Amino acid sequence: MSDDTTPFSGEVDWGALRTEAEEAMRRAYVPYSKYPVGAAALATDGRIIAGCNVENASYGLTLCAECSLVSMLHMTGGGQLVAFTCVNGESDVIMPCGRCRQLLYEHSVPGMMLETVSGIRTIDEVLPDAFGPRDLQQYSA
Ligand code: THU
């Protein structure tokens, strides 16, 4: 078992992650878009966390599946994200929206992997030259 500072070094079971994402997707609250999304990720300590989208009558307040996933990360012990996938209601892998790429970046290990529509990619490939926590740390140092 690794801790926050020891990135997970085993094989990623993408099938298991996708199954968790599909289960989460079935819990989505999507009365407006009718587009359920489920996300799942492997954390540094090996646990799998998940999330679903939760919409709101004030559409702009909608919480993407990644929002509840990141909340679950912290509510269940913290750590960082090693591998991530998300699916829609047809179990197709979808890309995290732009805002959620930034959200994931904040909580990712360097080189975090994502299952994408074009195969396995790193967080740096889907969010190049990202602004993140290290920029703020360097500025205040
Ligand atoms: N959605 C997510 O949950 N995550 C994404 O990365 C893409 C979009 C949700 C938001 C909204 O409830 C629905 O998909 C349609 O945009």
Side-chain angles (χ1 to χ4, degrees), residues 14-141:
W14 291 103
L17 272 191
R18 226 172 305 114
T19 299
E20 293 288 333
E22 284 171 14
E23 258 173 47
M25 176 270 290
R26 290 188 199 101
R27 298 178 189 277
Y29 173 76
V30 287
Y32 307 108
S33 75
K34 313 257 195 290
Y35 188 85
V37 177
L42 180 65
T44 31
D45 67 357
R47 74 192 194 280
I48 291 180
I49 54 172
C52 65
N53 52 338
V54 178
E55 297 186 342
N56 192 282
S58 180
Y59 294 176
L61 298 183
T62 287
L63 302 174
C64 282
E66 292 85 343
C67 299
S68 64
L69 180 145
V70 163
S71 295
M72 186 174 178
L73 174 71
H74 288 281
M75 285 296 292
T76 60
Q80 289 175 301
L81 305 173
V82 173
F84 170 90
T85 191
C86 65
V87 298
N88 66 15
E90 292 176 342
S91 298
D92 294 329
V93 170
I94 61 165
M95 296 304 291
C97 73
R99 187 191 87 120
C100 288
R101 294 181 201 195
Q102 180 74 29
L103 191 63
L104 293 170
Y105 181 76
E106 178 83 19
H107 305 282
S108 62
V109 296
M112 171 190 144
M113 293 174 283
L114 298 91
E115 187 175 41
T116 78
V117 295
S118 54
I120 306 300
R121 304 263 176 235
T122 66
I123 187 72
D124 303 291
E125 288 176 300
V126 302
L127 192 68
D129 299 328
F131 178 85
R134 280 175 289 280
D135 294 287
L136 295 179
Q137 279 157 14
Q138 278 165 17
Y139 181 77
S140 59

